[in-house]
Amino acid sequence: MHPFTYSRATDPAAVPGELAEHAHTKILGGGTNLLDLMKMGVERPQRLVDVTRLPLAKIEEIPAGGVRIGALARNSDVAESPLITKNYPVLSQALLAGASPQLRNAATTAGNLLQRTRCYYFYDPAFPACNKRIPGSGCGALEGQNRIHAILGASEACIATHPSDMCVAMAALDAVVQVRGPKGERSIPFKEFHRLPGEHPEHDTTLATDELIYAVDLPDAAWAKNSYYLKVRDRASYAFALVSVAAALAVDGGKIRTARVALGGVAHKPWRSEAAEEKLVGASADEATFKAAAEAALKHAKGYKYNAFKIELAKRSIVRALTQVSGGLQAA
Amino acid sequence: MDSRNPDIIGAPLDRTDGRLKVTGGVRYASEINVPNLVYGVIVNSTISAGSVAGMDTKAAEGSPGVLVVFTPFNMPKLPKQSSMGAGATPAAKKLALLQEPDVNYFLQPIGVVVADTLERATHAASLIKVTYDEKKPLTDLVAHLHEAFSPGQIGGSDKKPADSSENAPTAALHSAPRRVEQIYQTPIENHNPLEPHATIASWDGDRLTVFDATQGIFTTRQRLAGLFGLHDENVRVICHYVGGGFGSKGPVWAHTMLAAMCAKEVKRPVKIALTRAQMFNNTGSRAHTHQSFGVGADDSGKITGIVHDVTNNTSTFDEFPEQATVATRMLYACDSIQTTQRLVRLNLGTPSYMRAPGEAPGTFALECAMDELARELKMDPVELRLKNYAETDPEKKVPFSSKGLRECYQRAAEKFGWDKYKASPDPRSIRDGKWLVGYGMATATYPTNRSQSSASACINADGTALVLAGTQDLGTGTWTVMAQVSAGTLGLPMNKVRFELGDSVLPKTPVSGGSQTAASTGSAVQAACGAVLQKLIAMAVADASSPLHNADPKDVTAANGRLSLAGDPSKGESYAAILTRAGVPRLEVKSESAPDKEEKKKFSMHAFGAQFCEVRVHEDSGEIRIARWVGAFDIGKRLNEKTANSQIKGGVVFGIGMALMEKTVADDRDARLVNPNLAEYHIPVNADVPEIDVIFVDTEDAHINPLGVKGVGEIGIVGVPAAIANAVYHATGVRVRELPLTPDKLLVGAA
Ligand SMILES: Cc1cc2nc3c(=O)[nH]c(=O)nc-3n(C[C@H](O)[C@H](O)[C@H](O)COP(=O)(O)OP(=O)(O)OC[C@H]3O[C@@H](n4cnc5c(N)ncnc54)[C@H](O)[C@@H]3O)c2cc1C
């Protein structure tokens, strides 16, 4: 680990200034991802600003409707909050499907949003090629061990996936990320928060280096109460998703009024599938519709040497999640 | 005279070190406080083949706290043949000790930084700039099968020829009306004990003391003495607790040697503790096995021919055959069996022993093929096994010293409810909603090993006893069972007996490997305790003041610290009284105990078991859940019912990992490992493990060893992957012949 200085932030308003003033400064949340990456030599900040003492851990109702999750609310607190379990079960389930109780106790909401890919070629600097770590060095995974890699929205430059479960649920829920920079505050719709790799996989998100995340807002949405998170992984618990699905449905008289489908483990960002949603809205909530939605969602999917199975797995998982959330004929 | 206290030997006692362990009270090798200690951090190669062209160590040397940086260019040269030390012991490995710049595998040690703190040494190591002359590495076993060569021999201390063949097996196989011929594969796996390997080495003149996380303190002593040309007595190795080994701490690896070499140079004690990533490739792995397996039978199910050809990877500089054919040679009655073992050189670390080496991967092929043959015959798989039950060992052509396998099948099948399988044997015939249900079984076997061992026992004038044996406790319960054997044999309650282990100044014992500690060191402890008790009895009957004066020693019994006449318990006295009156502070005997060569020739000695499981496979995702486990085992006598049970459970859990998820993955272009960490190398979590029901069948075995034990550390894993794969086939109709059984392999066959 490279030497760094450590300071503890006491005023949220002062953090963006500090970030802007000193290059190579990183915010420290729960540290469950950043510290690992520092030990591996992937991240080499010169300064760490610990924000965990800032008063940003509340989970509260927004007077105009919806719920605000403070950036420092721990994953386990969000998962257990009655405001979340009641109104946004998909988010609670996604959080509880992630990591382990110990990690969830430490991990913060903002840190989870910004956790980095688990791509082997990114995580270990012994691998010379990784455009995300060293722009221009190539992609080790493209023709390497890519069983855990992307099937949607990837580029020749990068086929890494975003590993978060929480974010898949937030993508389905139309969450909004609230940030504060040196020039003031702005709101980033979830769709625009994470990026596709394109030519610049070194950028995971559209957040500027001098911006502090202070909250994530969830909209007031009745359909969100009828939501579900399905995660398929290599062991029963404590593993990242091979494929996951966040789904929500509002069905009225047998017809789907509102639909949300987002996929995890398949792309450089939590993959909201508007193509699937289009197939669903207005159609009847049955297996044929769900299958059509699954086909639409994966229409442009591309498999690599070891991960082509994810395409079929994703389709089946979409059908399974939608079946479950529609009050399914059979328990998934 | 029967001095045994049956209530103590075998009793399900809690571990004597249990409380200390769960309260964090024990000190493992890396936690020992040694004054003046400095820290060594190994620098690892980032390529897999070639050589180190140069190492720029300036920044590291100038970094705060750094004492010295060793590289292949400045490490003092070792005497030529000691540098590798191969052949010195059965498990001796050739090691990368910075003697030459060659790089043969990813993460190979190419340097050591020694500094005053771990953090400073770690940081300095990251400042070293290495340049290489790279070669194209050999990466893939299957791609290089045509280059396979014979190792000549297989096995550890009991060497066997690499090939065996009797009565034209290939012809027998091909003329068989029913046959199965398939390729089975098991991947590279790593042991991943909770405690990483660690060594603290300190010199005092030409005397070396080492705290080491090891399965064999005397192996470590021998290798270190050999390396430095010292007498064994000048090297002391201490290891009181081990946080799991599973074979990975059996051989001596580079970090132990490097710690001693560095300590000698810097003239201060040096600690080297490996990181999790460094354990991969550097402390042995289970090899990738490619197994071609053929079995033929007549229409009644009688097996007429077996051909099993195994090839595994070894390193470019050392040889390790994964003896996956050993169970095939002895498990089923058949007089035409052919087996071969071959090696392929790859740029990966040398493989090594991992829990049930040979049997664990080998029975994946054998026991899946038996299931496939049963289906070919439309026969119950248990019945097929009974049909071919071996009453004598087909390889050694001698009877088994005892064999409770028939009872294992019967009792496990009954407890499991195997009737449910028999009522519905067709694939995909049982379901619970979206979950496809399947039942599967497999046979387990593991040889009963025993080596020469020794122990000493001492009865003190205060009525307590002290029993000593070098040995080591891998976390299995050695501390506890040896105390039980001591107390039981000495006729003392547990709280009057102190047992000590884990120090090479104590009586010499073998490595804790091959499930042999109870048989070897248990027998030595029993012999020493029995002998010292005899000495005490002899004293008493010769003592005119003793109530036992002139009694026949055969009529004297020992219990609760008291000798008494068998016919008249009122006639007797305490051990303390005998010794105190005679003014003898302590009676001591040291005993050697060795396997009986004649019995070994006359009998084949094995533990056996039968594994039964229920799996559920999700129809859409291919996710597998193990729903139930029942195993019955013939492991001879149990020294402690509870620790024996735990060993089996741990073995089954290990097998579930092997079956469902464990795999060390190398990039097929450059042999770099992609998952040397516990986030990506999966082992079972609690949610993957069902209730495990362990049944022990009671077998009397008068030939095997004085304690009648067969060894329990490894047999629990044997057959587990096959039982699961067989159950998965029953559930889904998909036959997976390549471990692990990850969900992607089961998507194909689902509807
Ligand atoms: C073994 C293991 C298994 C895991 N399994 C899963 C899993 O199954 N599913 C899953 O979803 N996740 C999993 N995780 C990842 C885990 O969820 C993340 O590590 C965690 O959410 C990160 O949160 P943190 O607060 O610890 O972030 P940190 O490590 O503190 O920070 C992460 C990043 O966020 C930045 N950051 C933190 N707070 C702010 C802020 N307020 N404003 C701006 N930037 C900020 C940091 O600078 C850093 O770049 C796993 C992690 C481990 C180690």
Side-chain angles (χ1 to χ4, degrees):
Chain A
M1 199 187 277
H2 276 259
F4 56 88
T5 64
Y6 169 92
S7 62
R8 194 175 275 161
T10 49
D11 174 11
V15 175
E18 245 187 284
L19 292 170
E21 219 171 287
H22 308 276
H24 307 293
T25 302
K26 278 253 162 197
I27 291 176
L28 179 67
T32 62
N33 190 226
L34 181 56
L35 296 183
D36 276 6
L37 290 166
M38 286 167 68
K39 288 182 198 163
M40 291 301 292
V42 176
E43 300 265 20
R44 297 178 161 215
Q46 290 166 5
R47 299 163 46 95
L48 282 189
V49 179
D50 182 346
V51 296
T52 53
R53 304 285 170 101
L54 295 180
L56 297 174
K58 284 212 188 91
I59 304 160
E60 55 197 348
E61 273 171 308
I62 301 170
V67 170
R68 168 160 292 188
I69 302 168
L72 294 172
R74 306 287 169 161
N75 287 180
S76 26
D77 292 334
V78 179
E80 304 296 343
S81 160
L83 286 178
I84 304 300
T85 54
K86 197 167 101 238
N87 301 315
Y88 312 95
V90 65
L91 178 57
S92 174
Q93 291 163 11
L95 282 161
L96 293 176
S100 65
Q102 295 89 333
L103 282 159
R104 295 196 295 267
N105 286 342
T108 63
T109 302
N112 195 322
L113 286 174
L114 294 177
Q115 65 170 300
R116 309 210 64 188
T117 183
R118 309 303 290 202
C119 173
Y120 318 123
Y121 300 88
F122 169 74
Y123 224 87
D124 186 349
F127 290 104
C130 174
N131 288 322
K132 194 180 270 304
R133 195 163 26 81
I134 310 166
S137 61
C139 173
L142 199 58
E143 284 167 9
Q145 291 294 345
N146 47 33
R147 183 171 177 271
I148 64 171
H149 289 74
I151 51 171
L152 286 165
S155 71
E156 289 283 296
C158 180
I159 60 169
T161 57
H162 193 265
S164 168
D165 292 299
M166 180 192 84
C167 291
V168 182
M170 286 182 172
L173 291 171
D174 289 322
V176 177
V177 184
Q178 305 293 359
V179 309
R180 179 180 293 152
K183 294 196 198 88
E185 298 182 354
R186 67 180 179 122
S187 303
I188 311 176
F190 214 80
K191 259 191 276 196
E192 291 161 26
F193 186 78
H194 295 96
R195 295 180 65 255
L196 286 179
E199 295 292 305
H200 290 285
E202 70 274 19
H203 298 303
D204 293 353
T205 68
T206 55
L207 190 75
T209 51
D210 56 6
E211 285 177 315
L212 169 79
I213 298 170
Y214 66 89
V216 176
D217 290 351
L218 302 177
D220 182 14
W223 50 262
K225 284 199 170 68
N226 188 37
S227 60
Y228 175 66
Y229 190 72
L230 171 68
K231 180 175 180 179
V232 180
R233 44 190 150 174
D234 277 326
R235 62 181 166 192
S237 177
Y238 201 15
F240 290 94
L242 290 169
V243 164
S244 68
V245 182
L249 281 185
V251 184
D252 191 358
K255 291 271 178 281
I256 299 169
R257 281 291 157 81
T258 312
R260 291 288 186 279
V261 176
L263 302 177
V266 296
H268 194 262
K269 60 186 284 188
W271 188 264
R272 175 80 176 267
S273 179
E274 269 131 10
E277 292 168 10
E278 273 166 32
K279 291 276 177 201
L280 292 166
V281 174
S284 53
D286 58 25
E287 194 177 351
T289 303
F290 299 160
K291 280 193 167 154
E295 289 300 327
L298 276 299
K299 188 158 175 233
H300 300 291
K302 176 177 175 198
Y304 298 87
K305 187 169 177 188
Y306 297 106
N307 74 347
F309 74 94
K310 281 190 179 183
I311 299 174
E312 178 64 19
L313 182 59
K315 288 182 190 170
R316 293 185 192 182
S317 301
I318 291 171
V319 176
R320 188 174 156 194
L322 288 169
T323 308
Q324 173 77 20
V325 80
S326 67
L329 312 167
Q330 278 180 333
Chain B
M1 186 230 46
D2 181 15
S3 66
R4 292 262 193 102
N5 183 342
D7 292 344
I8 294 182
I9 299 178
L13 303 184
D14 290 344
R15 294 191 202 192
T16 55
D17 54 345
R19 191 187 160 79
L20 260 190
K21 276 197 170 153
V22 299
T23 54
V26 309
R27 291 282 166 265
Y28 292 90
S30 74
E31 301 173 318
I32 307 292
N33 248 323
V34 176
N36 214 20
L37 183 69
V38 291
Y39 299 79
V41 163
I42 294 177
V43 183
N44 303 102
S45 70
T46 56
I47 65 162
S48 305
S51 60
V52 177
M55 287 174 79
D56 179 353
T57 56
K58 262 200 213 77
E61 278 157 352
S63 191
V66 171
L67 276 73
V68 62
V69 177
F70 290 112
T71 70
F73 307 106
N74 70 349
M75 185 56 129
K77 289 285 170 266
L78 292 160
K80 200 76 193 147
Q81 85 280 29
S82 80
S83 68
M84 291 300 197
T89 69
K93 301 287 184 183
K94 292 185 185 170
L95 303 172
L97 303 178
L98 315 188
Q99 297 297 296
E100 60 257 322
D102 306 29
V103 175
N104 292 301
Y105 61 91
F106 181 58
L107 298 179
Q108 179 191 309
I110 55 168
V112 183
V113 177
V114 183
D116 60 352
T117 71
L118 175 64
E119 290 75 14
R120 285 172 147 182
T122 306
H123 176 57
S126 76
L127 301 177
I128 297 173
K129 297 220 160 47
V130 188
T131 50
Y132 299 97
D133 291 324
E134 277 192 66
K135 282 201 301 210
K136 189 157 175 41
L138 304 161
T139 63
D140 183 16
L141 177 76
V142 177
H144 292 275
L145 282 176
H146 59 281
E147 289 162 19
F149 64 98
S150 171
Q153 287 187 318
I154 59 170
S157 45
D158 268 350
K159 291 278 183 223
K160 295 178 173 198
D163 296 359
S164 71
S165 182
E166 281 192 72
N167 305 323
T170 314
L173 175 65
H174 287 129
S175 64
R178 306 300 183 97
R179 63 175 181 269
V180 171
E181 285 178 277
Q182 291 294 351
I183 306 285
Y184 302 85
Q185 293 193 68
T186 65
I188 296 176
E189 291 154 15
N190 279 82
H191 315 68
N192 277 313
L194 194 56
E195 178 205 22
H197 298 61
T199 304
I200 297 174
S202 56
W203 290 85
D204 179 5
D206 64 352
R207 302 183 75 85
L208 172 63
T209 301
V210 161
F211 295 93
D212 194 27
T214 177
Q215 292 175 229
I217 53 176
F218 293 96
T219 322
T220 304
R221 183 177 76 168
Q222 183 185 0
R223 296 289 322 266
L224 285 168
L227 189 76
F228 295 104
L230 301 171
H231 290 295
D232 279 356
E233 306 78 59
N234 279 17
V235 181
R236 181 175 177 194
V237 181
I238 302 168
C239 175
H240 288 128
Y241 301 98
V242 184
F246 311 116
S248 75
K249 292 170 184 162
V252 177
W253 299 106
H255 67 276
T256 298
M257 304 298 213
L258 290 170
M261 290 162 74
C262 291
K264 194 169 178 162
E265 295 306 314
V266 302
K267 302 190 166 47
R268 288 175 70 172
V270 170
K271 166 154 81 183
I272 298 183
L274 297 188
T275 62
R276 182 62 55 182
Q278 287 175 329
M279 292 162 71
F280 287 73
N281 260 358
N282 285 311
T283 63
S285 4
R286 206 195 284 282
H288 175 178
T289 66
H290 178 278
Q291 309 185 42
S292 166
F293 197 100
V295 53
D298 65 19
D299 289 323
S300 77
K302 181 84 202 73
I303 294 173
T304 53
I306 299 177
V307 176
H308 189 186
D309 300 309
V310 174
T311 308
N312 70 268
N313 63 294
T314 191
S315 61
T316 53
F317 55 93
D318 205 354
E319 291 174 14
F320 181 85
E322 173 71 33
Q323 45 175 351
T325 58
V326 291
T328 306
R329 296 178 188 191
M330 54 63 65
L331 194 53
Y332 296 109
C334 175
D335 58 9
S336 298
I337 303 178
Q338 174 186 303
T339 65
T340 65
Q341 296 258 175
R342 296 290 178 270
L343 296 175
V344 165
R345 293 200 186 280
L346 297 181
N347 285 103
L348 294 167
T350 309
S352 188
Y353 309 94
M354 179 162 163
R355 206 171 197 174
E359 285 80 5
T363 56
F364 174 62
L366 169 61
E367 291 296 290
C368 284
M370 286 296 280
D371 197 69
E372 297 194 52
L373 182 63
R375 295 211 165 261
E376 179 73 29
L377 289 154
K378 297 202 175 1
M379 196 172 181
D380 171 42
V382 179
E383 198 188 320
L384 175 65
R385 285 163 173 89
L386 290 171
K387 176 103 195 167
N388 294 284
Y389 197 82
E391 299 290 354
T392 58
D393 180 336
E395 182 186 26
K396 291 190 185 148
K397 313 264 182 302
V398 294
F400 292 100
S401 58
S402 67
K403 182 172 177 178
L405 180 57
R406 221 183 277 278
E407 199 185 339
C408 290
Y409 290 134
Q410 187 249 318
R411 289 190 52 196
E414 191 181 302
K415 188 90 188 266
F416 181 82
W418 189 244
D419 287 351
K420 281 197 222 149
Y421 172 89
K422 291 206 269 191
S424 191
D426 291 340
R428 293 182 80 90
S429 58
I430 311 172
R431 64 159 65 225
D432 177 5
K434 281 277 192 180
W435 292 93
L436 306 171
V437 180
Y439 307 118
M441 59 82 55
T443 310
T445 185
Y446 194 80
T448 298
N449 297 309
R450 185 181 169 198
S451 303
Q452 174 146 1
S453 191
S454 60
S456 71
C458 160
I459 302 176
N460 299 311
D462 65 358
T464 63
L466 175 65
V467 180
L468 309 171
T471 204
Q472 43 284 314
D473 187 331
L474 313 190
T476 53
T478 308
W479 278 106
T480 312
V481 299
M482 294 302 162
Q484 285 177 266
V485 170
S486 305
T489 309
L490 287 166
L492 284 171
M494 284 289 279
N495 62 8
K496 295 281 183 203
V497 176
R498 207 167 94 213
F499 173 74
E500 282 188 9
L501 59 68
D503 191 329
S504 66
V505 300
L506 301 177
K508 191 171 176 185
T509 55
V511 66
S512 290
S515 300
Q516 67 169 355
T517 297
S520 312
T521 302
S523 296
V525 165
Q526 186 194 32
C529 292
V532 77
L533 190 66
Q534 284 310 319
K535 220 168 152 179
L536 184 72
I537 293 171
M539 251 180 93
V541 299
D543 183 346
S545 323
S546 170
L548 295 166
H549 186 229
N550 279 343
D552 183 341
K554 285 198 211 69
D555 295 335
V556 178
T557 62
N560 276 318
R562 211 170 164 273
L563 296 181
S564 57
L565 216 48
D568 180 3
S570 68
K571 262 206 173 147
E573 60 179 333
S574 71
Y575 303 172
I578 299 166
L579 294 175
T580 310
R581 190 171 54 240
V584 176
R586 51 210 283 274
L587 271 189
E588 187 173 355
V589 172
K590 185 174 173 218
S591 294
E592 297 280 332
S593 166
D596 184 327
K597 291 208 180 76
E598 286 310 305
E599 294 279 50
K600 259 190 103 169
K601 267 188 228 146
K602 278 192 278 181
F603 297 101
S604 177
M605 302 179 179
H606 283 264
F608 293 96
Q611 310 264 23
F612 285 74
C613 68
E614 174 183 328
V615 305
R616 289 162 170 252
V617 185
H618 197 279
E619 188 171 28
D620 294 334
S621 66
E623 291 162 286
I624 301 172
R625 300 283 180 264
I626 314 296
R628 279 193 307 132
W629 203 276
V630 178
F633 297 86
D634 161 17
I635 58 159
K637 282 243 157 50
R638 280 87 68 199
L639 300 180
N640 178 321
E641 196 76 11
K642 189 172 181 177
T643 55
N645 191 293
S646 297
Q647 282 300 298
I648 296 287
K649 282 184 176 149
V652 172
V653 174
F654 222 87
I656 290 173
M658 181 175 180
L660 298 188
M661 57 195 84
E662 292 193 45
K663 181 177 183 178
T664 302
V665 184
D667 187 298
D668 29 23
R669 298 161 300 181
D670 59 22
R672 289 187 175 100
L673 303 183
V674 304
N675 62 343
N677 58 70
L678 289 178
E680 304 297 340
Y681 183 98
H682 290 160
I683 57 172
V685 296
N686 278 324
D688 293 296
V689 179
E691 192 65 36
I692 297 167
D693 196 341
V694 180
I695 300 164
F696 289 123
V697 308
D698 291 304
T699 41
E700 286 298 325
D701 193 323
H703 310 291
I704 204 150
N705 51 55
L707 281 170
V709 297
K710 291 187 170 185
V712 64
E714 291 165 273
I715 189 164
I717 183 177
V718 182
V720 171
I724 292 173
N726 295 340
V728 165
Y729 178 80
H730 183 221
T732 63
V734 180
R735 180 62 73 175
V736 181
R737 300 187 183 88
E738 200 179 327
L739 294 179
L741 281 81
T742 44
D744 45 313
K745 293 178 182 159
L746 291 156
L747 283 178
V748 203

